[in-house]
Amino acid sequence: MTTVDASTPAASVTKLYDRLAETTPIGRQRLGRPLTYAEKVLFAHFLHPETTDLQRGVSYVELMPDRVAMQDATAQMALLQFMTAGLPQVAVPSTVHCDHLIQAQFGATADLETAEVTNKEVYDFLRSVSAKYGLGFWEPGSGIIHQVVLEQYAFPGAMMIGTDSHTPNAGGLSMVAIGVGGADAVDVMVGMPFNVRLPKLIGVHLTGKPSGWTSAKDVILRVAEILTVKGGTGAILEYFGEGARALSTTGKATICNMGAEIGATCSLFPADDNSVAYLRSTGREAIADLVAAHLGELTDDPEVEQDPRPYFDQLIEIDLNSLEPQIVGPGTPDLGRAVSAIGDEAREKGWPEQLSYTLVGSCTNSSYEDIARAASIARWANARGLTVKSPLLVTPGSERVRATVERDGLLDDLRAIGATELANACGPCIGQWKRTDAAAEGVNSILTSYNRNFPKRNDGSANTLAFIASPEIVVAYALVGHLDFNPLTDPIEGELIPQPSGEMLPSLGFAKEQSGFQAPPVDTSDIVVKVDPSSERLQLLTPFAPWDGHDFLAMPVLMKAVGKCTTDHISAAGPWLRYRGHLDNISNNLFLGVNNAFGSQAGKGWCSIHHAEESLPEIARHYKAAGIGWVAIGDENYGEGSSREHAAMEPRFLGAKAIIARSFARIAETNLKKQGLLPLVFADSGTYDLIERDDTIDILDLASLAPNRPVEGRIHHANGETTDFTMTHTLSPTHIEWFRAGSALNIIRDRAR
């Protein structure tokens, strides 16, 4: 029987390190060279390390992760899928963390109390389904999933998948942690391997050490500017070098967390003395001892750092000594510049210089060190009678961090200048922010220490321009209230702000308050998981139909996305989070944020049945009712952003047969495959431009669908002419099996029987 505790047991670590000792020599022998740290971890988790094909970016590999972590918004659909598999309990340690459904409005206490009432039905479902199937359950208020995982479960050398795109946060503690959709999580929870294309390796060689205003946040903001939002797609980013060893564990986690913004499969750092110190500080002394005894194995082989180029598909060099603090945005996390340049650029671009809000926290920057450095600025300001000129909201990452910064007076420092503390939850970072200020009505600028800044991401308003920086930079700007400021050189009332400072770890240790974990009972026979058939928030799933063996002919084009089409555009969060467990209801948001070439405004399109402009979900429902399969067209990097599989399940539920795009983000592409949809790429990206509103599309010869074999299509234009075109894909034999069965879950269900 699989057991799950509030923390990883040392016995599990010992077992993995024994495995590492066996597989690392196999890796060296098979590759004929020393190994990077990422390769060591992968070999330890290959189902068949002796025979796995090792072509980076080409081979599909089977991995056996050590655990699964889910947040409450994505766990609903993942566990609804797991329930249909017919198994008595999960096969690997798995946890559910309640952090996404708490809306920020009044402050920590009031917002948490409101969430307990408004989300009672969902929380009760998650508690009962966790107890029934052997999952650990973390109560609302206990913390943001990625911070709790870092504090309780992560350890060097391990592998985890999680139903949130920022799961790679755990790479800060040297763990291969990969964000996935719920169907991938179900595979692992039922004991099947995790199937993924073997990632390429991008090395990031860090030299020097950060000082003054420069922080770990600035490293990833610079990397995002270098690689762009799709430059890490299909790759693991491995950071190494003296600069890497100079960073705290939580600083490394910040960097790994935001690797999601460049499409990386995951990011990670080798283990070092800071890893051991963090494990001890978080009360995991036995694991700290094990890591300390194996540090030589939990890092790159020495030859890698001596001459890194032969080991990586791409190498980036960053000197932390010369790195200036960064600000990125608005609208995308790869639009970066140094803080010294933001004022002039804001004036040039016409962005509002006044900051309507400043926000510190989220899963990315809510550690003890983050809040300590932010509080050092606040302490200086308070001593001079200064208060914030723009509202400042602060989110601790976990109850353990909150209790510690409260004990050490850091929250008082921030409150003294006017900050408001929010609940230990995601809040404004994911659109769970109920703004009532007048500034929100028009175009306005906000500055956050979050990870994602797409339009509508934080408050549901496309008028809000979101910029991202480190927590200490955010607090500095809060004190002046506008972007035309450089905290490194510009004084406030005649005095420069001193450089921020803060301990990596609390000198008094972390506070003991960390309640909120519920272990599953040993006897689950009397637990019944109930879903009210009339519920608006939860709905049992009906399996998708298998492929009928026919080609897809004369499909109308529901929409043609122009520019960014992120998962926020495809299936918005914010208020829609309440329907994450009800596929029918949440499908009413399908493509509402998409800039459609065939609509007068976002979320609108042309219905070929009614010959009228309607909302895209309405059109999809009309096609579904008429038995008409449809296709959607994407631009570059379709599905960028969150791991939310609703962005794949909704089009599947409403009758889509395929998504054809110029390119796909990794998680989005996998999620489409899992649900039995075809993610296809234009072989000639110019074909995208030929598709018009009233065209229909054929996808042909599907009976011959095979790996590496192009797929042929035909556009039927409204004038009677046709255009033949070619599509490529990344479907493996397993993926084609999912397509023919109707979904990956259908195969799991059949095997369970």
Side-chain angles (χ1 to χ4, degrees), residues 270-330:
D272 57 28
D273 291 337
N274 285 335
S275 310
V276 177
Y278 183 78
L279 287 163
R280 294 199 194 285
S281 186
T282 50
R284 292 174 283 175
E285 289 82 0
I287 296 177
D289 290 341
L290 286 166
V291 173
H294 291 82
L295 276 180
E297 300 98 86
L298 296 168
T299 189
D300 302 301
D301 283 341
E303 295 87 346
V304 175
E305 190 168 333
Q306 292 167 9
D307 182 18
R309 291 194 179 277
Y311 300 91
F312 296 99
D313 299 285
Q314 183 177 353
L315 183 66
I316 297 170
E317 302 267 2
I318 296 178
D319 178 11
L320 301 185
N321 291 327
S322 60
L323 181 64
E324 186 177 341
Q326 308 284 301
I327 290 183
V328 304

Side-chain angles (χ1 to χ4, degrees), residues 540-623:
L540 296 175
L541 296 174
T542 300
F544 292 131
W547 177 54
D548 63 7
H550 299 296
D551 289 343
F552 298 147
L553 303 177
M555 294 184 293
V557 178
L558 181 73
M559 69 87 183
K560 180 170 129 176
V562 179
K564 272 189 184 291
C565 188
T566 72
T567 49
D568 286 279
H569 293 93
I570 302 166
S571 174
W576 289 96
L577 284 173
R578 66 180 283 105
Y579 299 120
R580 282 285 182 88
H582 198 295
L583 183 55
D584 197 347
N585 284 345
I586 200 170
S587 294
N588 290 323
N589 78 0
L590 177 65
F591 296 139
L592 285 183
V594 172
N595 181 17
N596 178 21
F598 311 139
S600 63
Q601 62 189 72
K604 295 287 188 177
W606 185 258
C607 178
S608 62
I609 293 177
H610 297 142
H611 302 289
E613 185 173 77
E614 299 170 344
S615 77
L616 291 171
E618 287 179 318
I619 300 170
R621 287 189 184 276
H622 295 153
Y623 291 161

